[in-house]
Amino acid sequence: MSTVTIRRGGPADVPAVLAVFDGAVRWLVARGQAGQWGSRPFSSIPETVARAERYARWDGFFVAVGAGQVVGALVVGESSEPVPAPVEPELFVNLLVTDHSDAARGVGALLLEHAAVLAVARGVGVLRLDCYAGNGGGLVRYYERQGFTATETFTVDQPGGPWPGQVLERRLPGRR
């Protein structure tokens, strides 16, 4: 991985983050995995553009920058439906997206570690997230390799069929 820095993001980063999402959608579709995010570029969907603009105003919005460009984004905050409510104080990863170029290799792990540092700084003992559980569970296994443990599952009914979700958690050192 080339030198990557993480900084707080803002509204000016929205076009670059949407471009990373669009690249991720192309990457998934090319692999026959449109079930996760669909096949339309996020930048062409008004709801996803509006969500990115909302996230850009949150204190928990961070971007990873490598070679002068945004190669990943992280949003942390609180969980919401359809994810089961937390049973203890937590920090929740609301969004994680990375570029799929060689220059961005390892950025997802770097952003997740940043989220863990933020959680410890806030005095919470668990970092949670949810992800797509379809396509044979490959994304779930990725998060397990990053130190997360699968907990609850859920399903979201969508026009194209059910979207299987998996909640995962990572217990943080020194916290119980």
Side-chain angles (χ1 to χ4, degrees), residues 57-104:
R57 295 188 300 270
W58 286 18
D59 286 338
F61 177 52
F62 297 89
V63 293
V65 178
Q69 66 181 22
V70 172
V71 293
L74 169 75
V75 176
V76 294
E78 297 178 3
S79 63
S80 60
E81 290 288 329
V83 173
V87 296
E88 64 185 281
E90 70 172 11
L91 186 62
F92 194 84
V93 175
N94 302 97
L95 173 129
L96 178 69
V97 64
T98 63
D99 185 85
H100 288 277
S101 68
D102 287 340

mmCIF file of all heavy atoms in Angstrom, residues 57-104:
data_model
loop_
_atom_site.group_PDB
_atom_site.id
_atom_site.type_symbol
_atom_site.label_atom_id
_atom_site.label_comp_id
_atom_site.label_asym_id
_atom_site.label_seq_id
_atom_site.Cartn_x
_atom_site.Cartn_y
_atom_site.Cartn_z
ATOM 1 N N ARG A 57 -21.662 15.747 6.711
ATOM 2 C CA ARG A 57 -21.839 16.730 7.793
ATOM 3 C C ARG A 57 -21.654 16.113 9.182
ATOM 4 O O ARG A 57 -21.682 16.823 10.176
ATOM 5 C CB ARG A 57 -23.209 17.393 7.665
ATOM 6 C CG ARG A 57 -23.343 18.233 6.396
ATOM 7 C CD ARG A 57 -24.628 19.050 6.366
ATOM 8 N NE ARG A 57 -25.834 18.240 6.426
ATOM 9 C CZ ARG A 57 -26.481 17.752 5.362
ATOM 10 N NH1 ARG A 57 -26.023 17.983 4.157
ATOM 11 N NH2 ARG A 57 -27.581 17.045 5.508
ATOM 12 N N TRP A 58 -21.483 14.802 9.244
ATOM 13 C CA TRP A 58 -21.310 14.121 10.530
ATOM 14 C C TRP A 58 -19.878 14.285 11.032
ATOM 15 O O TRP A 58 -18.924 14.319 10.248
ATOM 16 C CB TRP A 58 -21.585 12.633 10.388
ATOM 17 C CG TRP A 58 -23.013 12.231 10.232
ATOM 18 C CD1 TRP A 58 -24.066 13.016 9.874
ATOM 19 C CD2 TRP A 58 -23.539 10.915 10.399
ATOM 20 N NE1 TRP A 58 -25.200 12.268 9.808
ATOM 21 C CE2 TRP A 58 -24.913 10.982 10.124
ATOM 22 C CE3 TRP A 58 -22.973 9.699 10.740
ATOM 23 C CZ2 TRP A 58 -25.739 9.863 10.204
ATOM 24 C CZ3 TRP A 58 -23.783 8.591 10.810
ATOM 25 C CH2 TRP A 58 -25.156 8.669 10.560
ATOM 26 N N ASP A 59 -19.739 14.291 12.356
ATOM 27 C CA ASP A 59 -18.394 14.301 12.965
ATOM 28 C C ASP A 59 -17.653 12.992 12.695
ATOM 29 O O ASP A 59 -16.441 12.957 12.755
ATOM 30 C CB ASP A 59 -18.489 14.509 14.476
ATOM 31 C CG ASP A 59 -18.846 15.933 14.844
ATOM 32 O OD1 ASP A 59 -18.626 16.846 14.022
ATOM 33 O OD2 ASP A 59 -19.344 16.138 15.962
ATOM 34 N N GLY A 60 -18.381 11.926 12.407
ATOM 35 C CA GLY A 60 -17.771 10.619 12.210
ATOM 36 C C GLY A 60 -17.440 10.289 10.763
ATOM 37 O O GLY A 60 -17.307 9.121 10.414
ATOM 38 N N PHE A 61 -17.298 11.303 9.910
ATOM 39 C CA PHE A 61 -16.999 11.089 8.493
ATOM 40 C C PHE A 61 -15.501 11.281 8.257
ATOM 41 O O PHE A 61 -14.949 12.339 8.544
ATOM 42 C CB PHE A 61 -17.804 12.079 7.646
ATOM 43 C CG PHE A 61 -17.542 12.026 6.161
ATOM 44 C CD1 PHE A 61 -17.614 10.833 5.458
ATOM 45 C CD2 PHE A 61 -17.255 13.181 5.461
ATOM 46 C CE1 PHE A 61 -17.393 10.800 4.085
ATOM 47 C CE2 PHE A 61 -17.039 13.166 4.091
ATOM 48 C CZ PHE A 61 -17.113 11.975 3.404
ATOM 49 N N PHE A 62 -14.848 10.231 7.735
ATOM 50 C CA PHE A 62 -13.404 10.257 7.484
ATOM 51 C C PHE A 62 -13.137 9.751 6.075
ATOM 52 O O PHE A 62 -13.868 8.903 5.562
ATOM 53 C CB PHE A 62 -12.663 9.367 8.490
ATOM 54 C CG PHE A 62 -12.818 9.844 9.903
ATOM 55 C CD1 PHE A 62 -13.880 9.416 10.684
ATOM 56 C CD2 PHE A 62 -11.918 10.752 10.443
ATOM 57 C CE1 PHE A 62 -14.043 9.864 11.981
ATOM 58 C CE2 PHE A 62 -12.074 11.212 11.742
ATOM 59 C CZ PHE A 62 -13.134 10.775 12.518
ATOM 60 N N VAL A 63 -12.067 10.259 5.493
ATOM 61 C CA VAL A 63 -11.641 9.772 4.182
ATOM 62 C C VAL A 63 -10.186 9.346 4.269
ATOM 63 O O VAL A 63 -9.399 9.903 5.036
ATOM 64 C CB VAL A 63 -11.833 10.820 3.062
ATOM 65 C CG1 VAL A 63 -13.308 11.086 2.817
ATOM 66 C CG2 VAL A 63 -11.087 12.098 3.350
ATOM 67 N N ALA A 64 -9.861 8.332 3.475
ATOM 68 C CA ALA A 64 -8.478 7.886 3.313
ATOM 69 C C ALA A 64 -7.983 8.489 2.001
ATOM 70 O O ALA A 64 -8.670 8.400 0.979
ATOM 71 C CB ALA A 64 -8.414 6.364 3.261
ATOM 72 N N VAL A 65 -6.804 9.100 2.061
ATOM 73 C CA VAL A 65 -6.247 9.768 0.888
ATOM 74 C C VAL A 65 -4.891 9.152 0.574
ATOM 75 O O VAL A 65 -4.034 9.042 1.457
ATOM 76 C CB VAL A 65 -6.098 11.287 1.134
ATOM 77 C CG1 VAL A 65 -5.479 11.978 -0.076
ATOM 78 C CG2 VAL A 65 -7.443 11.912 1.484
ATOM 79 N N GLY A 66 -4.728 8.725 -0.672
ATOM 80 C CA GLY A 66 -3.466 8.172 -1.140
ATOM 81 C C GLY A 66 -3.154 8.726 -2.514
ATOM 82 O O GLY A 66 -4.064 8.859 -3.339
ATOM 83 N N ALA A 67 -1.924 9.081 -2.731
ATOM 84 C CA ALA A 67 -1.497 9.643 -4.018
ATOM 85 C C ALA A 67 -2.364 10.836 -4.417
ATOM 86 O O ALA A 67 -2.712 11.016 -5.576
ATOM 87 C CB ALA A 67 -1.495 8.571 -5.106
ATOM 88 N N GLY A 68 -2.784 11.617 -3.405
ATOM 89 C CA GLY A 68 -3.536 12.832 -3.667
ATOM 90 C C GLY A 68 -5.003 12.659 -3.978
ATOM 91 O O GLY A 68 -5.690 13.618 -4.326
ATOM 92 N N GLN A 69 -5.516 11.430 -3.844
ATOM 93 C CA GLN A 69 -6.940 11.232 -4.130
ATOM 94 C C GLN A 69 -7.602 10.396 -3.041
ATOM 95 O O GLN A 69 -6.951 9.620 -2.353
ATOM 96 C CB GLN A 69 -7.146 10.591 -5.487
ATOM 97 C CG GLN A 69 -6.627 9.177 -5.601
ATOM 98 C CD GLN A 69 -6.838 8.615 -7.000
ATOM 99 O OE1 GLN A 69 -6.982 9.350 -7.967
ATOM 100 N NE2 GLN A 69 -6.861 7.307 -7.107
ATOM 101 N N VAL A 70 -8.908 10.562 -2.914
ATOM 102 C CA VAL A 70 -9.683 9.783 -1.949
ATOM 103 C C VAL A 70 -9.734 8.339 -2.437
ATOM 104 O O VAL A 70 -10.145 8.075 -3.571
ATOM 105 C CB VAL A 70 -11.096 10.365 -1.769
ATOM 106 C CG1 VAL A 70 -11.960 9.441 -0.924
ATOM 107 C CG2 VAL A 70 -11.021 11.757 -1.134
ATOM 108 N N VAL A 71 -9.284 7.411 -1.568
ATOM 109 C CA VAL A 71 -9.284 5.984 -1.914
ATOM 110 C C VAL A 71 -10.168 5.170 -0.972
ATOM 111 O O VAL A 71 -10.237 3.951 -1.093
ATOM 112 C CB VAL A 71 -7.850 5.409 -1.945
ATOM 113 C CG1 VAL A 71 -7.047 6.027 -3.085
ATOM 114 C CG2 VAL A 71 -7.148 5.597 -0.609
ATOM 115 N N GLY A 72 -10.835 5.852 -0.044
ATOM 116 C CA GLY A 72 -11.730 5.152 0.863
ATOM 117 C C GLY A 72 -12.463 6.134 1.745
ATOM 118 O O GLY A 72 -12.064 7.297 1.872
ATOM 119 N N ALA A 73 -13.548 5.652 2.343
ATOM 120 C CA ALA A 73 -14.332 6.487 3.255
ATOM 121 C C ALA A 73 -14.878 5.626 4.386
ATOM 122 O O ALA A 73 -15.147 4.437 4.210
ATOM 123 C CB ALA A 73 -15.476 7.175 2.518
ATOM 124 N N LEU A 74 -15.029 6.272 5.522
ATOM 125 C CA LEU A 74 -15.538 5.640 6.740
ATOM 126 C C LEU A 74 -16.510 6.604 7.391
ATOM 127 O O LEU A 74 -16.228 7.803 7.476
ATOM 128 C CB LEU A 74 -14.372 5.371 7.709
ATOM 129 C CG LEU A 74 -14.717 4.964 9.134
ATOM 130 C CD1 LEU A 74 -15.194 3.513 9.169
ATOM 131 C CD2 LEU A 74 -13.499 5.139 10.037
ATOM 132 N N VAL A 75 -17.639 6.075 7.833
ATOM 133 C CA VAL A 75 -18.572 6.859 8.638
ATOM 134 C C VAL A 75 -18.885 6.035 9.873
ATOM 135 O O VAL A 75 -19.262 4.863 9.767
ATOM 136 C CB VAL A 75 -19.875 7.185 7.876
ATOM 137 C CG1 VAL A 75 -20.861 7.913 8.781
ATOM 138 C CG2 VAL A 75 -19.579 8.020 6.628
ATOM 139 N N VAL A 76 -18.701 6.645 11.040
ATOM 140 C CA VAL A 76 -19.035 5.979 12.295
ATOM 141 C C VAL A 76 -20.052 6.817 13.056
ATOM 142 O O VAL A 76 -20.087 8.039 12.933
ATOM 143 C CB VAL A 76 -17.786 5.723 13.173
ATOM 144 C CG1 VAL A 76 -16.860 4.722 12.519
ATOM 145 C CG2 VAL A 76 -17.055 7.011 13.492
ATOM 146 N N GLY A 77 -20.876 6.128 13.832
ATOM 147 C CA GLY A 77 -21.901 6.807 14.613
ATOM 148 C C GLY A 77 -22.715 5.783 15.378
ATOM 149 O O GLY A 77 -22.160 4.927 16.063
ATOM 150 N N GLU A 78 -24.026 5.857 15.196
ATOM 151 C CA GLU A 78 -24.945 4.943 15.869
ATOM 152 C C GLU A 78 -25.605 4.026 14.844
ATOM 153 O O GLU A 78 -25.783 4.401 13.692
ATOM 154 C CB GLU A 78 -26.031 5.746 16.591
ATOM 155 C CG GLU A 78 -25.498 6.639 17.685
ATOM 156 C CD GLU A 78 -26.592 7.459 18.354
ATOM 157 O OE1 GLU A 78 -27.789 7.301 18.013
ATOM 158 O OE2 GLU A 78 -26.240 8.279 19.204
ATOM 159 N N SER A 79 -25.988 2.838 15.308
ATOM 160 C CA SER A 79 -26.706 1.918 14.424
ATOM 161 C C SER A 79 -28.145 2.394 14.260
ATOM 162 O O SER A 79 -28.642 3.207 15.032
ATOM 163 C CB SER A 79 -26.680 0.503 14.991
ATOM 164 O OG SER A 79 -27.344 0.463 16.235
ATOM 165 N N SER A 80 -28.803 1.870 13.233
ATOM 166 C CA SER A 80 -30.212 2.188 13.001
ATOM 167 C C SER A 80 -30.875 0.985 12.347
ATOM 168 O O SER A 80 -30.200 0.027 11.960
ATOM 169 C CB SER A 80 -30.334 3.434 12.114
ATOM 170 O OG SER A 80 -29.714 3.216 10.871
ATOM 171 N N GLU A 81 -32.184 1.022 12.228
ATOM 172 C CA GLU A 81 -32.929 -0.059 11.578
ATOM 173 C C GLU A 81 -32.326 -0.339 10.216
ATOM 174 O O GLU A 81 -31.888 0.593 9.553
ATOM 175 C CB GLU A 81 -34.393 0.346 11.426
ATOM 176 C CG GLU A 81 -35.160 0.400 12.726
ATOM 177 C CD GLU A 81 -35.432 -0.978 13.301
ATOM 178 O OE1 GLU A 81 -35.583 -1.945 12.526
ATOM 179 O OE2 GLU A 81 -35.465 -1.099 14.522
ATOM 180 N N PRO A 82 -32.242 -1.551 9.803
ATOM 181 C CA PRO A 82 -32.806 -2.774 10.374
ATOM 182 C C PRO A 82 -31.856 -3.513 11.312
ATOM 183 O O PRO A 82 -32.143 -4.622 11.738
ATOM 184 C CB PRO A 82 -33.079 -3.623 9.139
ATOM 185 C CG PRO A 82 -31.954 -3.275 8.229
ATOM 186 C CD PRO A 82 -31.699 -1.803 8.463
ATOM 187 N N VAL A 83 -30.729 -2.898 11.646
ATOM 188 C CA VAL A 83 -29.756 -3.538 12.536
ATOM 189 C C VAL A 83 -30.340 -3.615 13.945
ATOM 190 O O VAL A 83 -30.870 -2.619 14.451
ATOM 191 C CB VAL A 83 -28.423 -2.753 12.537
ATOM 192 C CG1 VAL A 83 -27.469 -3.290 13.574
ATOM 193 C CG2 VAL A 83 -27.797 -2.782 11.159
ATOM 194 N N PRO A 84 -30.254 -4.778 14.599
ATOM 195 C CA PRO A 84 -30.730 -4.880 15.987
ATOM 196 C C PRO A 84 -30.025 -3.856 16.876
ATOM 197 O O PRO A 84 -28.836 -3.578 16.712
ATOM 198 C CB PRO A 84 -30.356 -6.311 16.389
ATOM 199 C CG PRO A 84 -30.291 -7.057 15.090
ATOM 200 C CD PRO A 84 -29.769 -6.062 14.089
ATOM 201 N N ALA A 85 -30.775 -3.280 17.795
ATOM 202 C CA ALA A 85 -30.247 -2.252 18.691
ATOM 203 C C ALA A 85 -29.098 -2.806 19.532
ATOM 204 O O ALA A 85 -29.077 -3.998 19.861
ATOM 205 C CB ALA A 85 -31.354 -1.737 19.601
ATOM 206 N N PRO A 86 -28.153 -1.950 19.896
ATOM 207 C CA PRO A 86 -27.040 -2.416 20.726
ATOM 208 C C PRO A 86 -27.514 -2.755 22.137
ATOM 209 O O PRO A 86 -28.506 -2.203 22.616
ATOM 210 C CB PRO A 86 -26.087 -1.219 20.745
ATOM 211 C CG PRO A 86 -26.962 -0.037 20.521
ATOM 212 C CD PRO A 86 -28.064 -0.519 19.607
ATOM 213 N N VAL A 87 -26.792 -3.652 22.788
ATOM 214 C CA VAL A 87 -27.113 -4.012 24.171
ATOM 215 C C VAL A 87 -26.143 -3.357 25.148
ATOM 216 O O VAL A 87 -26.279 -3.535 26.353
ATOM 217 C CB VAL A 87 -27.134 -5.548 24.361
ATOM 218 C CG1 VAL A 87 -28.254 -6.175 23.525
ATOM 219 C CG2 VAL A 87 -25.788 -6.160 24.016
ATOM 220 N N GLU A 88 -25.170 -2.617 24.614
ATOM 221 C CA GLU A 88 -24.187 -1.908 25.427
ATOM 222 C C GLU A 88 -23.658 -0.739 24.600
ATOM 223 O O GLU A 88 -23.870 -0.692 23.387
ATOM 224 C CB GLU A 88 -23.046 -2.849 25.824
ATOM 225 C CG GLU A 88 -22.242 -3.350 24.632
ATOM 226 C CD GLU A 88 -21.208 -4.374 25.018
ATOM 227 O OE1 GLU A 88 -20.143 -3.989 25.514
ATOM 228 O OE2 GLU A 88 -21.481 -5.577 24.813
ATOM 229 N N PRO A 89 -22.982 0.202 25.230
ATOM 230 C CA PRO A 89 -22.425 1.317 24.461
ATOM 231 C C PRO A 89 -21.489 0.800 23.362
ATOM 232 O O PRO A 89 -20.709 -0.121 23.581
ATOM 233 C CB PRO A 89 -21.658 2.126 25.508
ATOM 234 C CG PRO A 89 -22.350 1.811 26.793
ATOM 235 C CD PRO A 89 -22.752 0.361 26.675
ATOM 236 N N GLU A 90 -21.597 1.403 22.201
ATOM 237 C CA GLU A 90 -20.836 0.958 21.043
ATOM 238 C C GLU A 90 -20.500 2.145 20.157
ATOM 239 O O GLU A 90 -21.049 3.230 20.311
ATOM 240 C CB GLU A 90 -21.647 -0.037 20.222
ATOM 241 C CG GLU A 90 -22.824 0.632 19.512
ATOM 242 C CD GLU A 90 -23.564 -0.275 18.534
ATOM 243 O OE1 GLU A 90 -23.325 -1.496 18.519
ATOM 244 O OE2 GLU A 90 -24.390 0.251 17.790
ATOM 245 N N LEU A 91 -19.633 1.879 19.198
ATOM 246 C CA LEU A 91 -19.456 2.747 18.049
ATOM 247 C C LEU A 91 -19.813 1.875 16.853
ATOM 248 O O LEU A 91 -19.385 0.714 16.777
ATOM 249 C CB LEU A 91 -18.020 3.270 17.944
ATOM 250 C CG LEU A 91 -17.787 4.302 16.836
ATOM 251 C CD1 LEU A 91 -18.637 5.562 17.071
ATOM 252 C CD2 LEU A 91 -16.316 4.672 16.750
ATOM 253 N N PHE A 92 -20.606 2.418 15.937
ATOM 254 C CA PHE A 92 -21.101 1.638 14.811
ATOM 255 C C PHE A 92 -20.497 2.165 13.519
ATOM 256 O O PHE A 92 -20.456 3.377 13.285
ATOM 257 C CB PHE A 92 -22.629 1.713 14.730
ATOM 258 C CG PHE A 92 -23.224 0.689 13.813
ATOM 259 C CD1 PHE A 92 -23.479 -0.595 14.259
ATOM 260 C CD2 PHE A 92 -23.511 1.004 12.495
ATOM 261 C CE1 PHE A 92 -24.013 -1.557 13.408
ATOM 262 C CE2 PHE A 92 -24.048 0.061 11.638
ATOM 263 C CZ PHE A 92 -24.299 -1.223 12.093
ATOM 264 N N VAL A 93 -20.020 1.251 12.679
ATOM 265 C CA VAL A 93 -19.509 1.608 11.352
ATOM 266 C C VAL A 93 -20.717 1.668 10.418
ATOM 267 O O VAL A 93 -21.285 0.641 10.049
ATOM 268 C CB VAL A 93 -18.472 0.586 10.844
ATOM 269 C CG1 VAL A 93 -18.051 0.926 9.418
ATOM 270 C CG2 VAL A 93 -17.266 0.536 11.768
ATOM 271 N N ASN A 94 -21.118 2.880 10.076
ATOM 272 C CA ASN A 94 -22.265 3.081 9.197
ATOM 273 C C ASN A 94 -21.907 2.912 7.723
ATOM 274 O O ASN A 94 -22.771 2.596 6.908
ATOM 275 C CB ASN A 94 -22.860 4.476 9.394
ATOM 276 C CG ASN A 94 -23.281 4.724 10.814
ATOM 277 O OD1 ASN A 94 -22.537 5.316 11.575
ATOM 278 N ND2 ASN A 94 -24.456 4.259 11.180
ATOM 279 N N LEU A 95 -20.646 3.155 7.391
ATOM 280 C CA LEU A 95 -20.226 3.077 6.005
ATOM 281 C C LEU A 95 -18.738 2.792 5.939
ATOM 282 O O LEU A 95 -17.963 3.357 6.710
ATOM 283 C CB LEU A 95 -20.506 4.411 5.300
ATOM 284 C CG LEU A 95 -19.960 4.542 3.890
ATOM 285 C CD1 LEU A 95 -21.045 5.000 2.948
ATOM 286 C CD2 LEU A 95 -18.808 5.527 3.868
ATOM 287 N N LEU A 96 -18.383 1.898 5.051
ATOM 288 C CA LEU A 96 -16.981 1.640 4.727
ATOM 289 C C LEU A 96 -16.938 1.312 3.241
ATOM 290 O O LEU A 96 -17.617 0.393 2.784
ATOM 291 C CB LEU A 96 -16.418 0.471 5.535
ATOM 292 C CG LEU A 96 -14.974 0.098 5.216
ATOM 293 C CD1 LEU A 96 -14.007 1.185 5.680
ATOM 294 C CD2 LEU A 96 -14.603 -1.227 5.858
ATOM 295 N N VAL A 97 -16.174 2.082 2.496
ATOM 296 C CA VAL A 97 -16.015 1.828 1.068
ATOM 297 C C VAL A 97 -14.581 2.149 0.691
ATOM 298 O O VAL A 97 -13.989 3.089 1.233
ATOM 299 C CB VAL A 97 -17.017 2.635 0.206
ATOM 300 C CG1 VAL A 97 -16.791 4.126 0.329
ATOM 301 C CG2 VAL A 97 -16.998 2.179 -1.243
ATOM 302 N N THR A 98 -14.019 1.329 -0.184
ATOM 303 C CA THR A 98 -12.653 1.573 -0.632
ATOM 304 C C THR A 98 -12.562 1.412 -2.135
ATOM 305 O O THR A 98 -13.353 0.707 -2.755
ATOM 306 C CB THR A 98 -11.645 0.606 0.029
ATOM 307 O OG1 THR A 98 -11.954 -0.733 -0.372
ATOM 308 C CG2 THR A 98 -11.674 0.720 1.535
ATOM 309 N N ASP A 99 -11.573 2.056 -2.679
ATOM 310 C CA ASP A 99 -11.223 1.919 -4.078
ATOM 311 C C ASP A 99 -10.652 0.509 -4.261
ATOM 312 O O ASP A 99 -10.117 -0.071 -3.322
ATOM 313 C CB ASP A 99 -10.173 2.986 -4.402
ATOM 314 C CG ASP A 99 -9.804 3.026 -5.848
ATOM 315 O OD1 ASP A 99 -10.494 3.689 -6.626
ATOM 316 O OD2 ASP A 99 -8.792 2.378 -6.191
ATOM 317 N N HIS A 100 -10.758 -0.039 -5.433
ATOM 318 C CA HIS A 100 -10.244 -1.387 -5.679
ATOM 319 C C HIS A 100 -8.951 -1.390 -6.485
ATOM 320 O O HIS A 100 -8.580 -2.408 -7.066
ATOM 321 C CB HIS A 100 -11.317 -2.256 -6.335
ATOM 322 C CG HIS A 100 -12.393 -2.625 -5.375
ATOM 323 N ND1 HIS A 100 -12.290 -3.673 -4.497
ATOM 324 C CD2 HIS A 100 -13.575 -2.032 -5.100
ATOM 325 C CE1 HIS A 100 -13.366 -3.737 -3.741
ATOM 326 N NE2 HIS A 100 -14.161 -2.750 -4.085
ATOM 327 N N SER A 101 -8.248 -0.268 -6.473
ATOM 328 C CA SER A 101 -6.963 -0.198 -7.160
ATOM 329 C C SER A 101 -5.867 -0.786 -6.279
ATOM 330 O O SER A 101 -6.034 -0.937 -5.061
ATOM 331 C CB SER A 101 -6.623 1.258 -7.485
ATOM 332 O OG SER A 101 -6.379 1.974 -6.286
ATOM 333 N N ASP A 102 -4.747 -1.104 -6.887
ATOM 334 C CA ASP A 102 -3.603 -1.601 -6.120
ATOM 335 C C ASP A 102 -3.137 -0.564 -5.097
ATOM 336 O O ASP A 102 -2.697 -0.922 -4.005
ATOM 337 C CB ASP A 102 -2.445 -1.970 -7.047
ATOM 338 C CG ASP A 102 -2.717 -3.248 -7.823
ATOM 339 O OD1 ASP A 102 -3.584 -4.046 -7.388
ATOM 340 O OD2 ASP A 102 -2.072 -3.456 -8.865
ATOM 341 N N ALA A 103 -3.245 0.713 -5.448
ATOM 342 C CA ALA A 103 -2.808 1.780 -4.539
ATOM 343 C C ALA A 103 -3.629 1.811 -3.255
ATOM 344 O O ALA A 103 -3.161 2.312 -2.235
ATOM 345 C CB ALA A 103 -2.891 3.132 -5.241
ATOM 346 N N ALA A 104 -4.835 1.258 -3.299
ATOM 347 C CA ALA A 104 -5.714 1.291 -2.128
ATOM 348 C C ALA A 104 -5.721 -0.023 -1.350
ATOM 349 O O ALA A 104 -6.475 -0.164 -0.385
ATOM 350 C CB ALA A 104 -7.137 1.643 -2.572
#
